[in-house]
Amino acid sequence: MIQVDEAVAAAELQRVVEEVVSQTPVFDVHTHLYPPAFGKLCLWGIDELVNYHYLIAEFFRSSSVTPEEFWAQSKSGQADLIWDALFVKNSPLSEAAAGVVTVLIKLGLDPCQPNLKQAREYFASLTVEQYTERVLEIANISDVVMTNDPFNPAEKAAWEGHSDCPERFHRALRMDPILNDWEAAHAAISAEGFHTHLQLSPQISDEVRRFLDKWIARLRPVYLAVSLPYTFKYPDDTPRTRLIQEVVIPTCREHRIPFAMMIGVSRQVNPALHEAGDSLGFADLGSVERLCAENPGVRFLVTVLSRENQHALCVAARKFSNLMPFGCWWFLNNPSIVEEITAERLELLGATVIPQHSDARILDQLIYKWAHARRAISRVLAASYSRLIADGYPLARKQIGRDVARMFSGNFRQWVGLPAAKSKLNSA
Ligand code: HDL
Ligand code: ZN
């Protein structure tokens, strides 16, 4: 029973919540990051940071430079163009631009420089190993999950070279080609010596499982993952349904790992923007419910790209305890929407969700994505707790610590079968 003198006073609540949220380490469940040993796959520093595809999309709205002219530039030439258009000639108001400002300020650099000279000198003074430690410490990140695509030649070469992968860089085995482009995936898997065929059969499914087993043994992934278009339907009469039923689900069962579905992409609506050319669409969450209902013994991680799908995802998670909603993905990772989604998740699901992931592609982004996420989540959490206190509930600080630790790492560790983290602060 909580003693009244331990209770957090209403006037102190916002500060206490911000303190606990800031001090609680995060397990970042979805990123595109790599450890330093992965060489060029490990993106870091100001030229990569400013060339984030979110900023490239925004650049074309503030410049007369055409995509063809832009892509003809070097990486640093592109960064110079983006810096001038979004940070010198205009105010960095967008979330992606404000994020760069957050990173520079937290590194002690001037975000109002007329060019990138100072920032480039700073990064040139660091090794990627030093910078990795610095970023994880500033962002208070204990672990990240990578995105590992066995169909990416550079990634395949890195793993075949037995790149050293530190345990806190957990792996996720990405299966987009298998589930979204079976024709190309079948050819790639065959080329690796597996006996697959365009026409699916139980024997072909077994061969695809053998291919996955080989990569699972190599990567020891914490989950299998796929990004699905907003048109995703389950079941349907495409190879995807059969591959989910005969390959993905049995593999998740056998290896006791969850299946992560990231649903809602509308691919390449503007190919001229390359990686920045994707959009979103409203998805059918009945398909998620059917998968969860058919497979009660399999754990699912789901994030959806449409803001309008979020409420239905919360309701689906109330129906299926093998469904874990996670993150405010991609176009949703903006403070106003993170607050809205986090509020409806707390109201419908309490602390049983994974409120955010960074989706970071560049190491530096962990600094801003988590600073901004913590600010938004603190606001919503404090509002939820303040309603309890206003009703006379004596809320103790250690309860706040317990709830935040559960959402920031405990839920995911339990979901993927990792041991609980040793708590440092939550008893405070
Ligand atoms: O498929 C994914 O994992 C997405 O996150 C894409 O990588 C997307 O381009 C992205 O970076 N979103 O933030
Ligand atoms: Zn991603």
Side-chain angles (χ1 to χ4, degrees), residues 157 224 259 399 427:
L224 301 186
F259 180 34
Q399 286 178 268
S427 50

Side-chain angles (χ1 to χ4, degrees), residues 30-32 54 147 174 227 262 329-330 357-361:
H30 171 58
T31 77
H32 298 266
Y54 292 27
T147 295
R174 204 49 193 259
S227 166
M262 307 165 66
W329 184 29
W330 200 341
H357 65 271
S358 70
D359 222 338
R361 286 172 170 270

Side-chain angles (χ1 to χ4, degrees), residues 352-400:
T352 68
V353 298
I354 297 169
Q356 188 52 309
H357 65 271
S358 70
D359 222 338
R361 286 172 170 270
I362 298 108
L363 204 53
D364 323 40
Q365 291 176 331
L366 289 176
I367 293 176
Y368 89 81
K369 285 176 180 267
W370 281 107
H372 295 186
R374 281 187 161 103
R375 191 160 52 194
I377 292 166
S378 296
R379 278 204 196 105
V380 174
L381 257 180
S384 301
Y385 287 133
S386 68
R387 281 192 289 277
L388 282 172
I389 292 174
D391 291 345
Y393 182 86
L395 178 76
R397 180 192 177 104
K398 63 185 170 190
Q399 286 178 268
I400 302 172

Side-chain angles (χ1 to χ4, degrees), residues 57-279:
E58 293 170 30
F59 165 73
F60 291 116
R61 298 184 57 75
S62 295
S63 167
S64 58
V65 170
T66 66
E68 293 68 30
E69 291 163 343
F70 178 81
W71 296 118
Q73 297 286 322
S74 65
K75 178 78 81 169
S76 58
Q78 292 171 6
D80 290 337
L81 286 171
I82 293 169
W83 182 259
D84 188 56
L86 299 187
F87 297 86
V88 178
K89 291 196 168 63
N90 290 280
S91 306
L93 280 172
S94 74
E95 173 59 10
V100 173
V101 169
T102 298
V103 173
L104 293 174
I105 288 174
K106 284 191 181 276
L107 292 173
L109 299 172
D110 176 6
C112 300
Q113 287 285 305
N115 55 52
L116 294 172
K117 184 173 178 296
Q118 182 203 57
R120 285 175 177 142
E121 284 165 359
Y122 169 81
F123 284 100
S125 71
L126 292 169
T127 65
V128 59
E129 291 78 9
Q130 288 169 331
Y131 190 57
T132 299
E133 292 308 318
R134 185 166 302 182
V135 167
L136 291 173
E137 188 189 350
I138 294 172
N140 196 3
I141 307 284
S142 64
D143 299 74
V144 300
V145 182
M146 303 159 75
T147 295
N148 303 106
D149 174 3
F151 298 92
N152 172 334
E155 172 124 38
K156 189 165 172 292
W159 286 102
E160 282 161 354
H162 303 296
S163 292
D164 166 39
C165 190
E167 214 27 58
R168 64 186 173 174
F169 281 79
H170 303 267
R171 282 72 59 195
L173 181 52
R174 204 49 193 259
M175 300 186 301
D176 294 31
I178 292 176
L179 295 180
N180 296 332
D181 186 359
W182 170 241
E183 190 168 349
H186 134 70
I189 294 172
S190 298
E192 291 222 4
F194 294 86
H195 309 297
T196 64
H197 189 276
L198 198 52
Q199 182 55 45
L200 288 171
S201 70
Q203 295 69 31
I204 303 300
S205 293
D206 286 347
E207 274 299 275
V208 181
R209 285 189 60 185
R210 213 162 59 81
F211 168 79
L212 290 182
D213 288 348
K214 173 187 150 194
W215 276 95
I216 288 170
R218 177 178 276 166
L219 298 179
R220 291 180 292 108
V222 287
Y223 57 74
L224 301 186
V226 65
S227 166
L228 293 165
Y230 71 95
T231 53
F232 168 61
K233 287 284 186 292
Y234 178 87
D236 67 5
D237 56 2
T238 69
R240 180 189 289 130
T241 286
R242 192 156 178 189
L243 287 159
I244 287 175
Q245 291 172 338
E246 296 181 10
V247 176
V248 176
I249 297 297
T251 300
C252 288
R253 281 190 198 287
E254 181 188 344
H255 294 280
R256 302 176 59 74
I257 50 178
F259 180 34
M261 293 183 283
M262 307 165 66
I263 310 169
V265 188
S266 179
R267 283 273 171 239
Q268 292 296 291
V269 296
N270 184 356
L273 301 191
H274 298 186
E275 212 161 34
D278 297 331
S279 183

